[in-house]
Amino acid sequence: MTSLLATLSAGAVFGVALAAPPGPMNAIIAEESVVRGWLAGFKAGLGAMSADAIFFVLAALGVVTFVEQFPLVRAAMIGVGGFLMLYFAYGAARDVRSSFRPGAGAADESDPRVGTGFRKAFVLALTNPYQILFWLTIGVGLLQPGTVDVLAQTPYVGDALAGTLVVSTGSPALVAGFFGGIVLWITGFPAALVGAERRVEAFAPIVAGLSAVVLAGFGLLFLAESAGTFL
């Protein structure tokens, strides 16, 4: 029982560590949370996690390796992702203006726009090369016997944390904990943002503006990477 709880906990730490760093997915979650409310932010996170679940199944079946075998297909997906990010960056920039209007703020949960974050994050995650690369390497190995250095995979700070938490793979409990950690993040992160937005009047436009910058930056990076393959 103790071993099972330890494996679940390690998986949860893994999920949070990979979900928490700044990036296009968190930019969309942040924008949706402060402009349209907690439910919209949660749904955006759920969209990204749904894409991860699909990648997990495809990786387990060996289908995801198709992307690596055909570089032009991968480059095309990255290019599509880049265009989508620029489009969503434009939407986030428009939200900066709308969130300054008197009476503006989180949308009512019955507002149909509350569900748009799920579609945005889901489509974007399906074309995100970082998520594809993760499931081609570390992700597919979660069910194979061996070990994984959990915190070493954390974006941006992995090298500094290498060796801190090494766990055995090959257990369904590790995968369950991993997705449980993502659920913790997509629940708590929007809640924290909504709480901050209620205390600081200018918080919503600031977050929307930062989200636009992050999405635009990643969009240009993805387009440059895609163009480099074709040229």
Side-chain angles (χ1 to χ4, degrees):
M1 186 65 176
T2 302
S3 176
L4 177 62
L5 289 175
T7 302
L8 284 170
S9 299
V13 170
F14 198 3
V16 171
L18 287 172
M25 296 301 106
N26 278 331
I28 290 179
I29 294 173
E31 179 206 352
E32 291 290 318
S33 298
V34 299
V35 175
R36 299 183 178 90
W38 176 85
L39 183 61
F42 174 74
K43 285 184 175 180
L46 201 59
M49 190 181 76
S50 297
D52 274 324
I54 290 175
F55 281 135
F56 168 70
V57 173
L58 294 178
L61 296 174
V63 177
V64 179
T65 54
F66 171 84
V67 177
E68 286 298 291
Q69 293 172 357
F70 297 92
L72 292 182
V73 173
R74 180 176 182 272
M77 292 178 64
I78 294 173
V80 170
F83 278 115
L84 285 173
M85 287 184 192
L86 292 178
Y87 175 73
F88 294 149
Y90 171 71
R94 287 191 305 173
D95 282 337
V96 174
R97 291 173 50 189
S98 64
S99 58
F100 271 119
R101 295 174 184 169
D108 185 88
E109 291 185 355
S110 62
D111 191 324
R113 293 176 300 170
V114 169
T116 60
F118 179 94
R119 295 190 292 273
K120 285 162 56 175
F122 179 71
V123 172
L124 201 57
L126 290 178
T127 57
N128 188 341
Y130 299 127
Q131 283 177 259
I132 296 172
L133 181 61
F134 170 80
W135 287 109
L136 277 170
T137 54
I138 306 301
V140 74
L142 292 179
L143 284 179
Q144 298 174 351
T147 59
V148 61
D149 193 339
V150 171
L151 298 182
Q153 314 306 322
T154 307
Y156 314 124
V157 295
D159 290 343
L161 300 174
T164 305
L165 181 60
V166 180
V167 298
S168 298
T169 56
S171 168
L174 184 64
V175 177
F178 173 79
F179 281 101
I182 295 178
V183 171
L184 286 175
W185 177 255
I186 65 176
T187 301
F189 182 47
L193 290 172
V194 170
E197 192 271 337
R198 288 172 179 167
R199 290 191 295 270
V200 182
E201 186 176 349
F203 191 71
I206 290 173
V207 171
L210 289 174
S211 297
V213 171
V214 170
L215 288 168
F218 274 96
L220 293 173
L221 177 65
F222 282 21
L223 287 176
E225 184 177 344
S226 177
T229 302
F230 286 106
L231 299 179

